Amino acid sequence: DAKTTQPNSMESNEEEPVHLPCNHSTISGTDYIHWYRQLPSQGPEYVIHGLTSNVNNRMASLAIAEDRKSSTLILHRATLRDAAVYYCILRDRGGSNYKLTFGKGTLLTVNP
Amino acid sequence: SAVISQKPSRDICQRGTSLTIQCQVDSQVTMMFWYRQQPGQSLTLIATANQGSEATYESGFVIDKFPISRPNLTFSTLTVSNMSPEDSSIYLCSVETPGVGAGVYGYTFGSGTRLTVV
């Protein structure tokens, strides 16, 4: 699986937007970009995914660079509940091996 | 998405013993995964378990240490055998679920089993 690079940690204030970057310069044309987050003492949960176009859902937005070598997860208004480790993961949509490979992720701290 | 029940949620075990962790899903799923998360670390995949076939183990993990059963499409167990303090970790099961997008599968995770070996 292609590797991703994320900052180890980021800090935000409550109700402010948060932009979490992810670099994936070796992404292949068939890789989907997935984001998961892990709240304290819980298993990871799905946040959003995309292939080429920017995506929005009720949790977040995903902005994908035109060359797909980087992406940004956007939380429009951070809440205390958004404090978690955020993982950016590439998954080959065409492969028969469907496993997720986790990197170190970004620890997001949200200040009240 | 699927709902996963993982048991036990935590346990403290003596070294040299074994612990079996159960993962129950509320719907039929083809692929189930077992992960380990060591203290302060990210998740590492142990093995992939498909119903009706042998589990596929990742590099560094062997069946003798982590035997897996997958008797049907809603249930799996992971056994941590002959435990040592180095096995103290959180163990999580995960299933692949459709529906996060056309032709794209997402993953649902259990809340994990926190294992301490003394």
Side-chain angles (χ1 to χ4, degrees):
Chain A
D1 293 323
K3 291 187 179 297
T4 62
T5 304
Q6 299 177 253
N8 290 332
S9 63
M10 292 186 66
E11 202 167 323
S12 174
N13 295 320
E14 199 174 9
E15 298 191 2
E16 290 185 355
V18 181
H19 291 233
L20 297 166
C22 181
N23 287 320
H24 29 78
S25 58
T26 59
I27 191 171
S28 74
T30 54
D31 283 333
Y32 274 94
I33 302 160
H34 286 248
W35 283 82
Y36 282 74
R37 71 179 185 182
Q38 187 173 22
L39 303 172
S41 301
Q42 295 188 28
E45 64 177 0
Y46 168 83
V47 177
I48 200 167
H49 79 279
L51 183 63
T52 56
S53 303
N54 294 343
V55 185
N56 300 297
N57 66 20
R58 64 177 177 82
M59 291 180 68
S61 295
L62 177 60
I64 301 173
E66 193 168 338
D67 64 4
R68 299 209 328 125
K69 294 185 177 182
S70 65
S71 60
T72 302
L73 178 70
I74 303 166
L75 307 179
H76 295 286
R77 291 184 64 192
T79 69
L80 297 178
R81 193 192 174 279
D82 291 321
V85 179
Y86 287 79
Y87 297 99
C88 168
I89 304 168
L90 302 182
R91 181 183 174 281
D92 186 353
R93 68 175 180 174
S96 59
N97 191 347
Y98 298 121
K99 63 183 179 183
L100 287 181
T101 302
F102 286 79
K104 296 183 183 302
T106 297
L107 174 63
L108 175 64
T109 302
V110 181
N111 299 314
Chain B
S1 62
V3 176
I4 296 175
S5 173
Q6 194 173 330
K7 295 180 181 179
S9 59
R10 59 178 62 229
D11 207 341
I12 301 173
C13 300
Q14 296 291 322
R15 66 177 67 201
T17 63
S18 297
L19 175 72
T20 295
I21 302 167
Q22 299 180 1
C23 181
Q24 178 75 53
V25 190
D26 69 343
S27 58
Q28 294 184 338
V29 293
T30 302
M31 306 192 74
M32 297 182 76
F33 307 87
W34 287 97
Y35 287 85
R36 181 177 71 182
Q37 187 169 28
Q38 295 176 301
Q41 302 297 313
S42 183
L43 284 78
T44 301
L45 181 64
I46 297 171
T48 302
N50 289 343
Q51 194 267 337
S53 63
E54 295 284 331
T56 302
Y57 288 82
E58 297 297 306
S59 176
F61 297 96
V62 295
I63 187 171
D64 290 346
K65 176 67 175 178
F66 298 100
I68 289 171
S69 76
R70 183 80 202 274
N72 56 53
L73 291 172
T74 64
F75 188 78
S76 178
T77 66
L78 170 76
T79 299
V80 186
S81 303
N82 188 25
M83 288 183 287
S84 67
E86 291 71 36
D87 295 320
S88 297
S89 295
I90 299 173
Y91 293 86
L92 302 104
C93 71
S94 173
V95 300
E96 184 186 55
T97 55
V100 296
V104 177
Y105 286 77
Y107 299 83
T108 301
F109 288 80
S111 55
T113 296
R114 184 179 296 272
L115 171 62
T116 302
V117 184
V118 297

Short mmCIF file of all heavy atoms in Angstrom, two decimals, chain A residues 53-90:
data_model
loop_
_atom_site.label_atom_id
_atom_site.label_comp_id
_atom_site.label_asym_id
_atom_site.label_seq_id
_atom_site.Cartn_x
_atom_site.Cartn_y
_atom_site.Cartn_z
N SER A 53 -12.47 13.97 -6.76
CA SER A 53 -13.20 15.21 -6.50
C SER A 53 -13.32 15.46 -5.00
O SER A 53 -13.27 14.54 -4.19
CB SER A 53 -14.61 15.12 -7.10
OG SER A 53 -14.55 14.86 -8.48
N ASN A 54 -13.49 16.73 -4.67
CA ASN A 54 -13.73 17.08 -3.27
C ASN A 54 -15.06 16.48 -2.81
O ASN A 54 -15.99 16.32 -3.61
CB ASN A 54 -13.75 18.60 -3.11
CG ASN A 54 -12.38 19.21 -3.40
OD1 ASN A 54 -11.37 18.54 -3.43
ND2 ASN A 54 -12.39 20.52 -3.63
N VAL A 55 -15.13 16.13 -1.55
CA VAL A 55 -16.28 15.43 -1.00
C VAL A 55 -16.74 16.12 0.28
O VAL A 55 -15.91 16.62 1.04
CB VAL A 55 -15.93 13.95 -0.68
CG1 VAL A 55 -17.16 13.19 -0.22
CG2 VAL A 55 -15.30 13.27 -1.90
N ASN A 56 -18.03 16.11 0.48
CA ASN A 56 -18.60 16.65 1.72
C ASN A 56 -19.56 15.63 2.32
O ASN A 56 -20.28 14.94 1.59
CB ASN A 56 -19.38 17.94 1.44
CG ASN A 56 -18.52 19.01 0.84
OD1 ASN A 56 -17.58 19.47 1.44
ND2 ASN A 56 -18.85 19.39 -0.39
N ASN A 57 -19.53 15.51 3.62
CA ASN A 57 -20.59 14.78 4.31
C ASN A 57 -20.90 15.49 5.61
O ASN A 57 -20.38 16.58 5.86
CB ASN A 57 -20.23 13.29 4.49
CG ASN A 57 -19.06 13.07 5.44
OD1 ASN A 57 -18.71 13.93 6.24
ND2 ASN A 57 -18.45 11.90 5.33
N ARG A 58 -21.73 14.87 6.42
CA ARG A 58 -22.17 15.58 7.63
C ARG A 58 -21.06 15.76 8.63
O ARG A 58 -21.15 16.60 9.52
CB ARG A 58 -23.34 14.82 8.26
CG ARG A 58 -22.97 13.44 8.75
CD ARG A 58 -24.15 12.77 9.45
NE ARG A 58 -23.81 11.42 9.87
CZ ARG A 58 -23.15 11.14 10.99
NH1 ARG A 58 -22.77 12.12 11.78
NH2 ARG A 58 -22.87 9.89 11.31
N MET A 59 -20.01 14.96 8.53
CA MET A 59 -18.92 15.05 9.50
C MET A 59 -17.83 16.01 9.07
O MET A 59 -17.23 16.70 9.91
CB MET A 59 -18.29 13.67 9.74
CG MET A 59 -19.17 12.69 10.45
SD MET A 59 -18.35 11.10 10.68
CE MET A 59 -17.07 11.54 11.86
N ALA A 60 -17.51 16.02 7.77
CA ALA A 60 -16.32 16.74 7.34
C ALA A 60 -16.36 16.96 5.83
O ALA A 60 -17.26 16.50 5.14
CB ALA A 60 -15.08 15.93 7.71
N SER A 61 -15.32 17.64 5.36
CA SER A 61 -15.08 17.78 3.92
C SER A 61 -13.69 17.26 3.61
O SER A 61 -12.79 17.32 4.47
CB SER A 61 -15.18 19.25 3.49
OG SER A 61 -16.49 19.73 3.68
N LEU A 62 -13.54 16.77 2.41
CA LEU A 62 -12.25 16.28 1.95
C LEU A 62 -11.87 17.04 0.69
O LEU A 62 -12.61 16.98 -0.30
CB LEU A 62 -12.31 14.78 1.68
CG LEU A 62 -11.03 14.14 1.13
CD1 LEU A 62 -9.87 14.32 2.11
CD2 LEU A 62 -11.26 12.65 0.84
N ALA A 63 -10.75 17.73 0.76
CA ALA A 63 -10.24 18.46 -0.39
C ALA A 63 -9.04 17.68 -0.94
O ALA A 63 -8.09 17.41 -0.21
CB ALA A 63 -9.81 19.87 0.02
N ILE A 64 -9.11 17.34 -2.22
CA ILE A 64 -8.07 16.53 -2.85
C ILE A 64 -7.35 17.38 -3.88
O ILE A 64 -7.99 18.00 -4.74
CB ILE A 64 -8.67 15.28 -3.52
CG1 ILE A 64 -9.41 14.44 -2.47
CG2 ILE A 64 -7.59 14.45 -4.21
CD1 ILE A 64 -10.19 13.28 -3.04
N ALA A 65 -6.03 17.41 -3.80
CA ALA A 65 -5.25 18.18 -4.76
C ALA A 65 -5.45 17.64 -6.17
O ALA A 65 -5.76 16.47 -6.37
CB ALA A 65 -3.77 18.13 -4.39
N GLU A 66 -5.25 18.52 -7.12
CA GLU A 66 -5.50 18.13 -8.51
C GLU A 66 -4.61 16.96 -8.93
O GLU A 66 -5.04 16.08 -9.68
CB GLU A 66 -5.25 19.33 -9.43
CG GLU A 66 -5.77 19.13 -10.84
CD GLU A 66 -5.76 20.42 -11.64
OE1 GLU A 66 -5.76 21.50 -11.02
OE2 GLU A 66 -5.75 20.33 -12.88
N ASP A 67 -3.38 16.93 -8.47
CA ASP A 67 -2.47 15.83 -8.80
C ASP A 67 -2.63 14.63 -7.86
O ASP A 67 -1.93 13.62 -8.01
CB ASP A 67 -1.01 16.30 -8.81
CG ASP A 67 -0.53 16.76 -7.45
OD1 ASP A 67 -1.30 16.64 -6.46
OD2 ASP A 67 0.59 17.26 -7.34
N ARG A 68 -3.54 14.75 -6.90
CA ARG A 68 -3.87 13.69 -5.93
C ARG A 68 -2.71 13.31 -5.02
O ARG A 68 -2.78 12.32 -4.32
CB ARG A 68 -4.38 12.43 -6.64
CG ARG A 68 -5.61 12.66 -7.45
CD ARG A 68 -6.54 11.48 -7.62
NE ARG A 68 -5.90 10.18 -7.65
CZ ARG A 68 -6.23 9.19 -6.85
NH1 ARG A 68 -7.16 9.35 -5.93
NH2 ARG A 68 -5.63 8.02 -6.94
N LYS A 69 -1.69 14.11 -4.99
CA LYS A 69 -0.56 13.76 -4.14
C LYS A 69 -0.72 14.27 -2.72
O LYS A 69 0.13 14.03 -1.85
CB LYS A 69 0.74 14.27 -4.76
CG LYS A 69 1.08 13.56 -6.06
CD LYS A 69 2.42 14.00 -6.61
CE LYS A 69 2.76 13.21 -7.87
NZ LYS A 69 4.09 13.57 -8.42
N SER A 70 -1.77 14.98 -2.47
CA SER A 70 -2.06 15.42 -1.11
C SER A 70 -3.56 15.62 -0.96
O SER A 70 -4.28 15.75 -1.96
CB SER A 70 -1.31 16.71 -0.77
OG SER A 70 -1.78 17.77 -1.57
N SER A 71 -3.99 15.63 0.28
CA SER A 71 -5.39 15.90 0.57
C SER A 71 -5.48 16.57 1.93
O SER A 71 -4.53 16.53 2.73
CB SER A 71 -6.23 14.62 0.54
OG SER A 71 -5.78 13.69 1.51
N THR A 72 -6.64 17.17 2.18
CA THR A 72 -6.87 17.87 3.45
C THR A 72 -8.24 17.52 3.97
O THR A 72 -9.24 17.65 3.25
CB THR A 72 -6.76 19.39 3.27
OG1 THR A 72 -5.46 19.70 2.74
CG2 THR A 72 -6.95 20.11 4.59
N LEU A 73 -8.28 17.06 5.19
CA LEU A 73 -9.56 16.84 5.87
C LEU A 73 -9.94 18.14 6.57
O LEU A 73 -9.13 18.71 7.31
CB LEU A 73 -9.44 15.72 6.88
CG LEU A 73 -10.70 15.42 7.68
CD1 LEU A 73 -11.77 14.80 6.78
CD2 LEU A 73 -10.42 14.52 8.86
N ILE A 74 -11.16 18.58 6.33
CA ILE A 74 -11.61 19.85 6.91
C ILE A 74 -12.77 19.60 7.86
O ILE A 74 -13.79 19.03 7.46
CB ILE A 74 -12.04 20.83 5.79
CG1 ILE A 74 -10.88 21.05 4.81
CG2 ILE A 74 -12.51 22.15 6.39
CD1 ILE A 74 -11.29 21.72 3.52
N LEU A 75 -12.55 19.98 9.11
CA LEU A 75 -13.65 20.02 10.08
C LEU A 75 -14.07 21.47 10.16
O LEU A 75 -13.28 22.33 10.56
CB LEU A 75 -13.17 19.51 11.44
CG LEU A 75 -12.49 18.13 11.46
CD1 LEU A 75 -12.05 17.78 12.88
CD2 LEU A 75 -13.39 17.07 10.89
N HIS A 76 -15.29 21.76 9.80
CA HIS A 76 -15.70 23.16 9.63
C HIS A 76 -15.81 23.92 10.94
O HIS A 76 -15.50 25.10 11.01
CB HIS A 76 -17.00 23.20 8.84
CG HIS A 76 -16.84 22.68 7.44
ND1 HIS A 76 -16.21 23.41 6.47
CD2 HIS A 76 -17.20 21.51 6.88
CE1 HIS A 76 -16.19 22.69 5.33
NE2 HIS A 76 -16.79 21.54 5.57
N ARG A 77 -16.27 23.25 11.97
CA ARG A 77 -16.35 23.86 13.29
C ARG A 77 -15.99 22.80 14.32
O ARG A 77 -16.79 21.95 14.64
CB ARG A 77 -17.75 24.40 13.57
CG ARG A 77 -18.14 25.60 12.74
CD ARG A 77 -19.50 26.12 13.17
NE ARG A 77 -19.47 26.62 14.55
CZ ARG A 77 -20.57 26.91 15.24
NH1 ARG A 77 -21.74 26.74 14.71
NH2 ARG A 77 -20.48 27.37 16.47
N ALA A 78 -14.77 22.86 14.79
CA ALA A 78 -14.31 21.83 15.71
C ALA A 78 -15.06 21.90 17.03
O ALA A 78 -15.34 22.99 17.56
CB ALA A 78 -12.81 21.99 15.97
N THR A 79 -15.38 20.72 17.55
CA THR A 79 -15.97 20.64 18.89
C THR A 79 -15.03 19.81 19.76
O THR A 79 -14.11 19.13 19.25
CB THR A 79 -17.35 19.97 18.85
OG1 THR A 79 -17.18 18.58 18.50
CG2 THR A 79 -18.26 20.64 17.83
N LEU A 80 -15.28 19.82 21.04
CA LEU A 80 -14.44 19.04 21.95
C LEU A 80 -14.50 17.57 21.60
O LEU A 80 -13.55 16.82 21.81
CB LEU A 80 -14.86 19.29 23.40
CG LEU A 80 -14.68 20.71 23.91
CD1 LEU A 80 -15.19 20.84 25.34
CD2 LEU A 80 -13.24 21.17 23.82
N ARG A 81 -15.65 17.15 21.07
CA ARG A 81 -15.83 15.75 20.71
C ARG A 81 -14.97 15.33 19.52
O ARG A 81 -14.78 14.15 19.26
CB ARG A 81 -17.29 15.45 20.42
CG ARG A 81 -17.60 13.97 20.35
CD ARG A 81 -18.98 13.69 19.79
NE ARG A 81 -19.21 12.27 19.59
CZ ARG A 81 -18.77 11.60 18.55
NH1 ARG A 81 -18.10 12.20 17.59
NH2 ARG A 81 -18.99 10.30 18.44
N ASP A 82 -14.44 16.33 18.79
CA ASP A 82 -13.60 16.00 17.63
C ASP A 82 -12.15 15.70 18.01
O ASP A 82 -11.34 15.36 17.15
CB ASP A 82 -13.62 17.17 16.62
CG ASP A 82 -14.97 17.32 15.96
OD1 ASP A 82 -15.60 16.30 15.64
OD2 ASP A 82 -15.40 18.49 15.76
N ALA A 83 -11.82 15.85 19.27
CA ALA A 83 -10.46 15.52 19.73
C ALA A 83 -10.23 14.02 19.55
O ALA A 83 -10.94 13.19 20.14
CB ALA A 83 -10.28 15.91 21.18
N ALA A 84 -9.27 13.67 18.69
CA ALA A 84 -9.06 12.28 18.33
C ALA A 84 -7.76 12.16 17.53
O ALA A 84 -7.14 13.17 17.19
CB ALA A 84 -10.23 11.76 17.48
N VAL A 85 -7.39 10.93 17.22
CA VAL A 85 -6.31 10.70 16.26
C VAL A 85 -6.94 10.48 14.89
O VAL A 85 -7.85 9.65 14.75
CB VAL A 85 -5.45 9.48 16.64
CG1 VAL A 85 -4.35 9.26 15.59
CG2 VAL A 85 -4.84 9.68 18.02
N TYR A 86 -6.50 11.24 13.90
CA TYR A 86 -7.06 11.16 12.56
C TYR A 86 -6.07 10.46 11.65
O TYR A 86 -4.90 10.83 11.56
CB TYR A 86 -7.36 12.57 12.04
CG TYR A 86 -8.57 13.17 12.70
CD1 TYR A 86 -8.49 13.73 13.98
CD2 TYR A 86 -9.81 13.17 12.06
CE1 TYR A 86 -9.61 14.24 14.61
CE2 TYR A 86 -10.92 13.71 12.68
CZ TYR A 86 -10.82 14.23 13.95
OH TYR A 86 -11.94 14.75 14.56
N TYR A 87 -6.57 9.44 10.97
CA TYR A 87 -5.73 8.63 10.08
C TYR A 87 -6.14 8.84 8.62
O TYR A 87 -7.31 8.73 8.28
CB TYR A 87 -5.90 7.14 10.41
CG TYR A 87 -5.45 6.73 11.79
CD1 TYR A 87 -6.37 6.57 12.81
CD2 TYR A 87 -4.10 6.49 12.05
CE1 TYR A 87 -5.96 6.17 14.07
CE2 TYR A 87 -3.69 6.09 13.32
CZ TYR A 87 -4.63 5.94 14.33
OH TYR A 87 -4.22 5.55 15.57
N CYS A 88 -5.16 9.11 7.80
CA CYS A 88 -5.33 9.21 6.36
C CYS A 88 -4.79 7.92 5.76
O CYS A 88 -3.63 7.56 6.01
CB CYS A 88 -4.56 10.43 5.85
SG CYS A 88 -4.37 10.55 4.06
N ILE A 89 -5.61 7.19 5.02
CA ILE A 89 -5.25 5.85 4.55
C ILE A 89 -5.59 5.72 3.08
O ILE A 89 -6.66 6.16 2.65
CB ILE A 89 -6.02 4.78 5.36
CG1 ILE A 89 -5.76 4.93 6.86
CG2 ILE A 89 -5.64 3.37 4.89
CD1 ILE A 89 -6.69 4.10 7.72
N LEU A 90 -4.69 5.11 2.34
CA LEU A 90 -4.95 4.82 0.93
C LEU A 90 -5.38 3.36 0.79
O LEU A 90 -4.79 2.48 1.39
CB LEU A 90 -3.71 5.06 0.07
CG LEU A 90 -3.12 6.47 0.11
CD1 LEU A 90 -1.94 6.56 -0.83
CD2 LEU A 90 -4.18 7.51 -0.24
#
